[in-house]
């Protein structure tokens, strides 16, 4: 991922399944938790958070309920941002999107990471979709990747991994 060089692309066709073309160039796949990388980059670069920042968390890690998003949580634990990223804790990233970044910053960083724009690649690749959130809960869903509307292609996912790997904050043992 550090060089971004594509070494191989493979596809599979079967007569029993309709041909969808080269899936690696199709923006059919939910961005899901990969979008947390974008939320994390925005939170770190804007100076809102560091890896040691403690963030309040209530409920389960991989759900997204409205009670987990209240500004003042009643029963909570505090989790370091680094741990929240490593464990992909949805409510923490949702809260970061809602209260630290908000719509403008989140959308700006999504666009900077290539959403809603053509991907520079040798093969024609569909544009990855990121809708502008309309409500606070939409911001929460986008920031945590907990929606079906934000889609990307496998090629775009690899490019995001490459961009993240090149940052000074990502020290890969590879």
């Amino acid at each position: 991922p550090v060089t971004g060089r594509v070494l191989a692309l493979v596809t599979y066709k079967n007569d029993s399944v309709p041909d969808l073309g080269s899936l690696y160039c199709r923006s059919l796949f939910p961005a899901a938790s990969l979008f947390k990388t974008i939320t994390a980059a925005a939170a770190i670069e804007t100076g809102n958070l560091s890896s040691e920042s403690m963030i309040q968390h209530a409920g389960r890690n991989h759900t997204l309920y409205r009670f987990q998003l209240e500004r003042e949580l009643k029963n909570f634990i505090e989790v370091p941002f680094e741990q929240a990223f490593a464990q992909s804790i949805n409510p923490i990233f949702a809260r970061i999107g809602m209260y630290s970044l908000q719509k403008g910053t989140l959308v700006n960083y999504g666009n900077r990471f290539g959403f809603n724009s053509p991907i520079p690649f040798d093969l024609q690749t569909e544009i990855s979709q990121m809708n502008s959130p309309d409500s606070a809960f939409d911001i929460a869903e986008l920031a945590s990747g907990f929606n079906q509307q934000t889609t990307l292609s496998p090629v775009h996912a690899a490019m995001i991994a490459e961009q993240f790997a090149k940052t000074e904050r990502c020290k890969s043992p590879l």
Side-chain angles (χ1 to χ4, degrees):
V2 174
T3 67
R5 203 168 128 233
V6 175
L7 302 178
L9 293 171
V10 179
T11 191
Y12 172 78
K13 294 183 182 183
N14 186 314
D15 292 337
S16 66
V17 178
D19 184 8
L20 297 175
S22 301
L23 289 178
Y24 41 79
C25 290
R26 304 282 313 272
S27 182
L28 301 171
F29 306 94
S33 288
L34 182 62
F35 204 88
K36 286 182 179 82
T37 303
I38 294 157
T39 303
I44 291 168
E45 285 188 6
T46 58
N48 291 332
L49 296 173
S50 72
S51 61
E52 296 85 26
S53 296
M54 300 301 285
I55 305 165
Q56 294 180 352
H57 170 49
R60 294 183 168 201
N61 291 356
H62 302 108
T63 58
L64 196 59
Y65 295 113
R66 293 187 192 280
F67 83 89
Q68 296 173 297
L69 306 177
E70 293 174 7
R71 184 173 286 279
E72 301 297 326
L73 296 173
K74 293 173 183 68
N75 298 312
F76 63 88
I77 60 171
E78 289 193 322
V79 178
F81 183 48
E82 181 177 48
Q83 180 182 340
F85 187 74
Q87 294 179 353
S88 192
I89 301 176
N90 288 333
I92 287 181
F93 279 85
R95 293 173 61 78
I96 291 167
M98 289 173 65
Y99 300 118
S100 295
L101 301 176
Q102 301 172 339
K103 176 181 176 175
T105 303
L106 198 56
V107 169
N108 177 36
Y109 270 78
N111 289 332
R112 286 175 55 186
F113 272 84
F115 283 88
N116 300 325
S117 298
I119 299 296
F121 190 64
D122 291 340
L123 302 174
Q124 184 175 354
T125 304
E126 291 179 359
I127 293 175
S128 298
Q129 300 298 310
M130 177 193 64
N131 295 333
S132 182
D134 293 325
S135 68
F137 195 74
D138 289 345
I139 293 169
E141 287 182 321
L142 177 62
S144 64
F146 202 75
N147 68 35
Q148 296 290 313
Q149 295 77 39
T150 309
T151 62
L152 77 170
S153 67
V155 167
H156 187 195
M159 291 177 72
I160 290 172
E162 172 202 3
Q163 287 176 320
F164 188 71
K166 285 183 176 179
T167 66
E168 289 193 30
R169 290 175 181 85
C170 178
K171 302 296 182 198
S172 174
L174 298 177

